Amino acid sequence: MKVLIVNTYQKSGGAAVAAGRLLVALNNSGVRTRMLVSEKTDEDINVVGIDDSSNGRHPYRGWLRRWHFMHERLAVLLRLHINRDHLWEIDLGNSGTDITRLPVFKEADVIHLSWVNQGMLSLSVIRKILSSGKPVVWTLHDLWPVSGICHYARGCNKFKNGCRHCPLLPGGGSDSDVSSRVWKKKQEIYSKGSIHFVACSKWLENQAKQSGLTASGSISSIPNPIDINVFHSTDKAVAKAALGIDESKKVVLFVSQRVTDGRKGMEYLATATSMLKESLGEVAENVVVAILGGHSDEVSESLALPSVALGYVEDEERIATIYNAADVFVLPSLEDNLPNTIMEAMACGVPTVGFRVGGIPEMIDHMKNGYVAKTRDAADLAAGLRWALFEADAATVQAEALRKVRINYSQNRVAMKYIEIYNHELALRHYIT
C-alpha cells in the first residue's frame, strides 16, 4: 500500500507538524508513505514539492505556485473590501495546482488530504481527486473542509445546513454570500465521491458530524502523533541553563506560531499574570514567563511578571529543550482543536493549564496532569498556574502527563488507527468496483 499525504506546508504550522509526524509514523509501521507540499524546505526523501517532477524542476511551476497563493489571498481580500482583519481566517478554495497529473499522485493507492488551503488545492482540484477513483482520507485540523469559508466557527452554527450571512464578511454577509456559494459547491463536489473524514479530536468530530457536508461520508476521530524520541523529559536545571534562566526560577511557558493571534488568548494570560503576581506577593519574584513564537517580543512587555521572548524556533530539539525548562505550560486558547503544543509539553512531563474549549479537555485531565480552567476566566487561569507551580506534586503530575502521552499519542498507536481506515477504504473501493 502506498499513501500520499497532501499538506500545504512542510513544517510551518500545527497541521504541517502533525502531517510530518504521521508521515514518519506510517513509514515506521511499514506503509510506504510520501508527502506532497507546496514547497519542499529540506532534504527529506519522503517529501515532494509541487515544483518537483520525475523530469526535474519545471521552469514555470514555481511561479505558478506563487500565483495560486496570491490569487487566493487577493480574492479573499476583495471579499473583505480590502480589510485585513479576517484575511487569514477565510479560504475560498478557488485556486490551486492540479496534483492529479503528478507521478507521486498517480502511483499512490490512498490519497490522504491534510491542511490544503492558501492556494495548495482548489475545490476544482478536489473534485478531480475524488473522480480519480482513489480512496480519499481527509484529516480535519480545523472546520474548513466541512464549512463554507471559515476555519473556526467561533460560535456560528450556519455550517450545519448551508452557510450564509457569514459574520466574517463585511456587513455580516447575505443569503447568497460567498460562504453560501462555497458551501453549496462543496456539497455538490462531495456528493460525487466518498471521503473518510478524520478529526484530530472528539470535539471536532462532533462538530463535523453536525455539518450538512458530511452526510455522505464517514467520520472518525484519531489524535495527532508525537515523537517521544524527540519530546521527552530531561533535566530541568540543564534545560533552564541552556536558555540562560536561573534554575531557581519557576518558568511559565506560552507557545504559539504567532503569539499575537487573538484566538490563542494572550490577553487572558496577561490578566492572569497580574492576578498571579498579586496573590503570590514577594514569591512572584521567582516566576518567569517564557514566550516562544513569532512576535513574542511584541507581547512580553504586556505581562506583569518578568518575561523572556524566545522568538520563533523551528528546530525540534531546541523546542524540546524549551519545554523541559518549563514548570508549567499555559495555552489559554479561545478555540482550538487538539494543540500539538499541549502534546509536546506533556511528552516532556510538563503540566498544562488551558481553558475548557475545543479538544483541550480531552488532553488535560483536571488536576492530574494539568488544570482545565473555566473558559475566558482569567482568575481561574491564574488559579491553575498557581496550582501547577506551587500546590501540585510535581513528580505525580509529571508521571500522569507521560502516561497520557504513552497511551494516547504514541506514533505506533496513531499509525495503526490510520492503517485500519486505509485498509477499510481500499477494501470498500475494491468491493464497489
Side-chain angles (χ1 to χ4, degrees), residues 83-110:
N83 187 319
R84 298 173 58 90
D85 287 350
H86 301 302
L87 179 60
W88 302 105
E89 299 172 40
I90 291 174
D91 271 287
L92 306 178
N94 66 345
S95 192
T97 301
D98 183 2
I99 67 171
T100 63
R101 300 179 180 182
L102 300 179
V104 70
F105 180 92
K106 294 178 179 179
E107 70 183 21
D109 300 306
V110 176

Side-chain angles (χ1 to χ4, degrees), residues 1 3 5 18-19 21-23 25-26 29 31 33 110-114 136-141 196-201 220-225 337-338 410-426:
M1 176 169 52
V3 175
I5 298 174
R21 289 172 181 169
L22 180 60
L23 172 72
L26 290 170
S29 298
V31 177
T33 309
V110 176
I111 305 302
H112 186 149
L113 303 181
S114 187
V136 176
V137 176
W138 197 341
T139 293
L140 305 178
H141 295 284
H196 191 126
F197 293 104
V198 179
C200 297
S201 67
S220 304
S221 174
I222 302 176
N224 296 326
N337 184 11
L338 198 83
S410 71
Q411 286 185 323
N412 181 67
R413 183 179 181 88
V414 172
M416 289 300 104
K417 289 186 176 182
Y418 269 111
I419 292 170
E420 287 180 13
I421 290 177
Y422 298 154
N423 286 329
H424 176 268
E425 294 300 314
L426 282 168

Side-chain angles (χ1 to χ4, degrees), residues 3 186 343 377 391:
V3 175
K186 287 180 180 179
M343 196 180 302
D377 189 332
E391 298 170 7

Side-chain angles (χ1 to χ4, degrees), residues 202-407:
K202 291 182 174 61
W203 166 76
L204 189 55
E205 178 188 14
N206 291 333
Q207 276 203 317
K209 285 180 176 179
Q210 298 176 54
S211 170
L213 295 175
T214 61
S216 60
S218 302
I219 305 177
S220 304
S221 174
I222 302 176
N224 296 326
I226 185 77
D227 185 353
I228 58 176
N229 292 316
V230 175
F231 294 94
H232 58 270
S233 179
T234 61
D235 187 276
K236 198 168 293 296
V238 173
K240 288 180 180 180
L243 300 184
I245 298 175
D246 189 327
E247 66 174 278
S248 67
K249 300 291 186 180
K250 295 282 188 176
V251 177
V252 177
L253 176 64
F254 172 83
V255 178
S256 177
Q257 182 182 14
R258 182 168 56 88
V259 301
T260 53
D261 183 352
R263 186 171 58 85
K264 295 298 183 178
M266 173 55 74
E267 64 174 302
Y268 290 92
L269 177 57
T271 303
T273 57
S274 295
M275 294 178 172
L276 185 63
K277 180 179 181 179
E278 183 178 353
S279 69
L280 291 177
E282 294 182 357
V283 178
E285 296 177 1
N286 295 320
V287 180
V288 175
V289 180
I291 308 171
L292 173 63
H295 305 281
S296 57
D297 56 330
E298 297 178 19
V299 301
S300 60
E301 294 182 359
S302 67
L303 304 180
L305 296 169
S307 62
V308 178
L310 300 172
Y312 183 80
V313 177
E314 192 171 85
D315 179 70
E316 286 195 331
E317 296 285 351
R318 173 70 171 173
I319 294 172
T321 297
I322 293 171
Y323 279 117
N324 274 289
D327 295 281
V328 61
F329 174 66
V330 59
L331 186 65
S333 290
L334 307 181
E335 192 167 18
D336 227 324
N337 184 11
L338 198 83
N340 289 324
T341 51
I342 291 181
M343 196 180 302
E344 291 162 357
M346 291 175 64
C348 294
V350 180
T352 296
V353 178
F355 287 140
R356 187 176 294 280
V357 299
I360 291 177
E362 299 172 31
M363 308 180 80
I364 304 175
D365 300 316
H366 186 55
M367 299 186 78
K368 291 184 178 179
N369 56 34
Y371 189 100
V372 182
K374 300 171 185 175
T375 306
R376 297 176 183 264
D377 189 332
D380 202 21
L381 191 70
L385 292 173
R386 179 168 183 144
W387 173 84
L389 291 172
F390 299 104
E391 298 170 7
D393 181 78
T396 301
V397 171
Q398 180 186 56
E400 287 292 332
L402 297 175
R403 176 177 177 273
K404 180 80 176 222
V405 170
R406 184 176 64 254
I407 293 175

Side-chain angles (χ1 to χ4, degrees), residues 5-67:
I5 298 174
V6 184
N7 197 80
T8 302
Y9 301 109
Q10 183 178 352
K11 292 186 175 181
S12 178
V17 171
R21 289 172 181 169
L22 180 60
L23 172 72
V24 173
L26 290 170
N27 278 311
N28 288 343
S29 298
V31 177
R32 181 69 180 97
T33 309
R34 303 184 80 181
M35 185 161 77
L36 180 65
V37 297
S38 62
E39 183 178 11
K40 185 173 179 176
T41 57
D42 67 17
E43 299 304 314
D44 190 334
I45 61 173
N46 292 316
V47 178
V48 179
I50 283 180
D51 291 353
D52 301 329
S53 71
S54 58
N55 297 317
R57 183 177 294 273
H58 191 287
Y60 301 112
R61 194 170 287 151
W63 175 86
L64 186 59
R65 168 176 49 79
R66 289 188 290 273
W67 160 250

